[in-house]
Amino acid sequence: MSLVNASGFQAGLALGTASMASIGPNNLLIIREGLLRGRAMFVASLVWGTYAALIAASCLLGGLSAQFDPAFRTTLSWIGLAAVAWFALQSFRAASAAKCVEDHSGKSESDRSCVARVMGVVWMNPLTYIELLLVPAALGESFATSGARFEFVTALILMSALYCYGYAAGGGIMASLLRNRANLRVFDLLSGLILTGLAVTMAAGLAVP
């Protein structure tokens, strides 16, 4: 199904599914919180709230996205590459920090600290703006009517809720199945490898003129 020929709602579902399938720093943050048996749903709500705000803002951005200098997009992509590489390094550091990770119920962390920690990942990740602000803004302009654009944004917001809370639930299921808290080290190691692979892929794409 081509996004150009799809209805607004179908296009939103397709783009949302693509976002769900792509694993990045934000999604890994939510899964890790569930694996820790921490405040997974609270963290998922914070991430989804950010996503919903950016997707809604993409409507206001509208035609302005076409006026962005290509150099700006390229610069943002390079910043995104650097951010992903940094998050990968952080995952490797977390994996090697301790032999055993204590159970984390989230009770010792205040709401303010939790918000700061989560927003530090989400808002400082340039890929968040590319995937949820610039891309939706550009695609939204391809629809002829405001109704189709509204359907597109609505579907995208619904899909973002599905995968935010889905990843949180998935992390909780992993925690129930794995039991051993040392498995968090394995998850951090795999996260580092995934993010490294993403960074390499991004670098290869940016290196091709």
Side-chain angles (χ1 to χ4, degrees):
M1 178 181 65
S2 171
L3 287 180
V4 176
N5 298 323
S7 70
F9 195 79
Q10 290 173 324
L13 291 180
L15 183 59
T17 300
S19 297
M20 181 185 295
S22 64
I23 301 295
N26 301 348
N27 296 338
L28 291 172
L29 167 72
I30 299 174
I31 296 173
R32 191 178 193 274
E33 195 71 19
L35 185 58
L36 275 170
R37 291 187 179 278
R39 306 173 69 177
M41 290 303 167
F42 181 63
V43 169
S45 296
L46 290 175
V47 177
W48 179 60
T50 300
Y51 286 1
L54 288 174
I55 294 169
S58 71
C59 292
L60 302 177
L61 191 61
L64 294 178
S65 62
Q67 301 175 19
F68 287 147
D69 189 329
F72 169 76
R73 296 175 182 270
T74 301
T75 300
L76 193 60
S77 295
W78 278 109
I79 295 175
L81 169 60
V84 170
W86 186 83
F87 286 128
L89 177 61
Q90 293 300 107
S91 293
F92 287 130
R93 290 180 61 185
S96 61
K99 294 183 178 180
C100 181
V101 178
E102 295 182 359
D103 192 15
H104 173 64
S105 65
K107 294 180 179 178
S108 60
E109 184 180 37
S110 67
D111 289 347
R112 180 176 299 180
S113 296
C114 185
V115 170
R117 174 170 61 86
V118 174
M119 294 298 99
V121 174
V122 179
W123 285 107
M124 294 178 65
N125 179 8
L127 296 180
T128 302
Y129 306 100
I130 294 175
E131 295 180 359
L132 298 166
L133 185 63
L134 299 183
V135 172
L139 288 178
E141 283 302 296
S142 66
F143 300 110
T145 66
S146 58
R149 287 191 289 272
F150 177 77
E151 290 179 1
F152 171 69
V153 168
T154 299
L156 199 52
I157 290 176
L158 290 176
M159 288 300 293
S160 68
L162 177 62
Y163 68 73
C164 282
Y165 292 108
Y167 279 127
I173 293 173
M174 289 171 58
S176 299
L177 294 176
L178 297 178
R179 303 280 181 186
N180 186 354
R181 309 311 296 173
N183 283 300
L184 182 62
R185 296 185 65 212
V186 177
F187 177 80
D188 286 331
L189 178 61
L190 290 176
S191 296
L193 293 174
I194 290 173
L195 294 174
T196 299
L198 177 59
V200 171
T201 301
M202 292 175 63
L206 289 170
V208 177

